[in-house]
Amino acid sequence: MTLFLAVVLGVFLVLLHRLFISPGRVDRWVGKHFVASDYGLPPREQLSSRRSGPPPSAHRAEERQAVADAAWEGDWKAAERYVRAAGEDWDERWDRLELLKHVAQRDDAWLDAWRAAEPDNCDAATLHASIMVRQAWEIRGSAYAHAVPASDMNRFRAMLPAAIEEARKAALLDPANPGPWVVMVTAARGAQYDRSRFRPLWEGLVERAPHHYEGHAQALQYWCAKWYGSDRRMMRFARQAVHKAPPGSPLAGIYLHALSELTERSAAFALPVTPMTRSLLKRIAASFDQVASDDERLPVLRHLLAHYMLRSMMYAPALEQFRRIGPWCGAHPWREAGNPVMAFEAARGRAAKLSRTRPTPTPRVHGMAR
């Protein structure tokens, strides 16, 4: 009898949910009645799909452009100073190497000159090894293995051992620098390293930089089901990242990338609405509050956090994330829908409606009677 009552109650709750807060009803409300400014959100006409967040400061943009221009003119010393200035902020140092990797795509003669002038420079050697990995991945492409032509896959796998060897040499030049280890961790899955060969690379990285964001992002890929792990291993790794993220680091966002990996691989993936999931998402939000507002990784992560909070029925917290995101909607997952503005508007409208937040209409100024 108890089981029967439980089934009846479950059916009743499902019908109640569909009747009162079904997606169709909510979407119709959003289309007809949602006024973003009434909920502290930028109006729809201000939304921009050009970026995921605000552009970098003028100073930062000018500095990067100056480094690029100097490199293209043959001056590698500006690039060397730019990387060295990051000191032992290893995340920042890696980001600066990433910029130089893009600069080298247009012209890498300056990098050859740098390596010739300073053969013992770890940053130059690391950049060279990272470029080798990128070139290998460009040949392979981003498709699943079964969709990659055999000739391309063979070239891809043949190039990676040499890149790893270059990274090992770079690591000897500066034993404290985690950069070469990030390159090796990145290349390991493509080079078909089993777990016994991958673990020493991972341990070498975290020994030098326990909270390295890109290093964790690459390791997450190794531990996902499409490479050498499983959904369970990947999610365990991602949860560990949330718990060990230090103040000021966006490392907790690795968990959101793990959820994206599950979603992209299976359209039928349903985020489990459990106390643990909600607790993790709340913890991630609190962690993001301690990250510098100009951290360029943060906007993309806030979009993912808002999306997965919405899917976890955490409507009020999702609405708060949309407030923090502002007018920028050029990010995953809104782009996946084809029209990011419409998808973003619908998502934040659902958050507003289902959070039961009371709107506060903007006062309207009426003309004075004469």
Side-chain angles (χ1 to χ4, degrees), residues 20-21 25-27 29-30 33-34 39 315 319 347-357:
F20 291 105
I21 56 173
R25 289 175 63 92
V26 174
D27 288 345
W29 178 88
V30 172
H33 305 294
F34 177 54
Y39 297 89
Y315 302 121
L319 180 61
R348 63 186 192 152
R350 285 196 294 272
K353 175 65 173 177
L354 298 175
S355 68
R356 301 185 183 279
T357 300

Side-chain angles (χ1 to χ4, degrees), residues 60 95 248-250 291-299 301:
R60 185 176 296 182
D95 286 346
S249 168
V291 178
S293 59
D294 63 348
D295 190 312
E296 294 178 70
R297 294 165 293 189
L298 192 55
L301 294 173

Side-chain angles (χ1 to χ4, degrees), residues 134-156:
R134 183 204 68 205
Q135 290 171 338
W137 233 278
E138 286 175 347
I139 292 171
R140 183 197 183 283
S142 59
Y144 283 98
H146 69 271
V148 179
S151 58
D152 290 346
M153 185 65 80
N154 291 337
R155 290 175 62 200
F156 166 68

Side-chain angles (χ1 to χ4, degrees), residues 114-232:
W114 183 8
R115 296 183 64 226
E118 294 188 344
D120 294 334
N121 188 292
C122 177
D123 292 318
T126 300
L127 179 57
H128 172 63
S130 183
I131 289 173
M132 292 176 69
V133 174
R134 183 204 68 205
Q135 290 171 338
W137 233 278
E138 286 175 347
I139 292 171
R140 183 197 183 283
S142 59
Y144 283 98
H146 69 271
V148 179
S151 58
D152 290 346
M153 185 65 80
N154 291 337
R155 290 175 62 200
F156 166 68
R157 289 174 175 163
M159 293 174 69
L160 288 174
I164 292 175
E165 182 59 29
E166 288 298 307
R168 290 190 186 280
K169 293 177 182 177
L172 298 175
L173 300 176
D174 183 0
N177 192 328
W181 297 87
V182 177
V183 176
M184 287 186 275
V185 165
T186 303
R189 64 184 188 273
Q192 297 181 293
Y193 274 34
D194 61 22
R195 295 169 189 172
S196 65
R197 297 178 73 192
F198 175 78
R199 288 187 186 279
L201 301 182
W202 174 244
E203 291 167 358
L205 170 57
V206 296
E207 178 184 347
R208 293 160 175 79
H211 309 116
H212 200 287
Y213 184 87
E214 182 62 21
H216 278 76
Q218 293 299 331
L220 181 80
Q221 284 295 305
Y222 181 90
W223 290 117
C224 76
K226 70 186 179 187
W227 287 101
Y228 297 101
S230 64
D231 291 348
R232 183 178 61 82

Side-chain angles (χ1 to χ4, degrees), residues 66-367:
V67 169
D69 290 341
W72 292 329
E73 292 171 3
D75 178 13
W76 58 265
K77 293 182 179 179
E80 188 276 333
R81 289 193 299 270
Y82 179 65
V83 177
R84 179 162 43 86
E88 294 186 1
D89 183 341
W90 299 120
D91 273 347
E92 176 65 22
R93 201 170 183 117
W94 181 262
D95 286 346
R96 295 186 179 207
L97 284 178
E98 285 287 283
L99 171 70
L100 295 181
K101 188 161 65 173
H102 289 294
V103 172
Q105 279 189 289
R106 171 172 158 181
D107 178 4
D108 63 357
W110 59 273
L111 177 56
D112 292 337
W114 183 8
R115 296 183 64 226
E118 294 188 344
D120 294 334
N121 188 292
C122 177
D123 292 318
T126 300
L127 179 57
H128 172 63
S130 183
I131 289 173
M132 292 176 69
V133 174
R134 183 204 68 205
Q135 290 171 338
W137 233 278
E138 286 175 347
I139 292 171
R140 183 197 183 283
S142 59
Y144 283 98
H146 69 271
V148 179
S151 58
D152 290 346
M153 185 65 80
N154 291 337
R155 290 175 62 200
F156 166 68
R157 289 174 175 163
M159 293 174 69
L160 288 174
I164 292 175
E165 182 59 29
E166 288 298 307
R168 290 190 186 280
K169 293 177 182 177
L172 298 175
L173 300 176
D174 183 0
N177 192 328
W181 297 87
V182 177
V183 176
M184 287 186 275
V185 165
T186 303
R189 64 184 188 273
Q192 297 181 293
Y193 274 34
D194 61 22
R195 295 169 189 172
S196 65
R197 297 178 73 192
F198 175 78
R199 288 187 186 279
L201 301 182
W202 174 244
E203 291 167 358
L205 170 57
V206 296
E207 178 184 347
R208 293 160 175 79
H211 309 116
H212 200 287
Y213 184 87
E214 182 62 21
H216 278 76
Q218 293 299 331
L220 181 80
Q221 284 295 305
Y222 181 90
W223 290 117
C224 76
K226 70 186 179 187
W227 287 101
Y228 297 101
S230 64
D231 291 348
R232 183 178 61 82
R233 287 179 180 274
M234 179 183 70
M235 296 311 298
R236 182 174 63 189
F237 179 85
R239 288 193 296 270
Q240 290 171 348
V242 175
H243 290 297
K244 73 178 184 179
S249 168
L251 184 64
I254 294 298
Y255 181 78
L256 303 173
H257 288 303
L259 294 180
S260 291
E261 176 65 32
L262 292 177
T263 303
E264 291 172 8
R265 192 157 40 82
S266 174
F269 167 70
L271 181 65
V273 183
T274 65
M276 184 179 72
T277 299
R278 291 179 170 182
S279 176
L280 284 168
L281 294 176
K282 288 178 181 178
R283 184 165 182 156
I284 293 168
S287 178
F288 286 175
D289 288 345
Q290 301 180 69
V291 178
S293 59
D294 63 348
D295 190 312
E296 294 178 70
R297 294 165 293 189
L298 192 55
V300 169
L301 294 173
R302 283 205 188 278
H303 285 283
L304 290 174
L305 180 57
H307 173 64
Y308 288 114
M309 280 182 160
L310 198 55
R311 292 185 63 169
S312 298
M313 295 191 288
M314 300 171 64
Y315 302 121
L319 180 61
E320 178 57 29
Q321 292 304 313
F322 282 117
R323 291 191 181 112
R324 292 170 182 253
I325 289 168
W328 313 100
C329 59
H332 177 82
W334 325 120
R335 286 190 178 278
E336 302 303 308
N339 187 323
V341 172
M342 288 183 62
F344 184 73
E345 178 76 349
R348 63 186 192 152
R350 285 196 294 272
K353 175 65 173 177
L354 298 175
S355 68
R356 301 185 183 279
T357 300
R358 298 188 66 176
T360 54
T362 303
R364 290 174 173 79
V365 179
H366 300 283

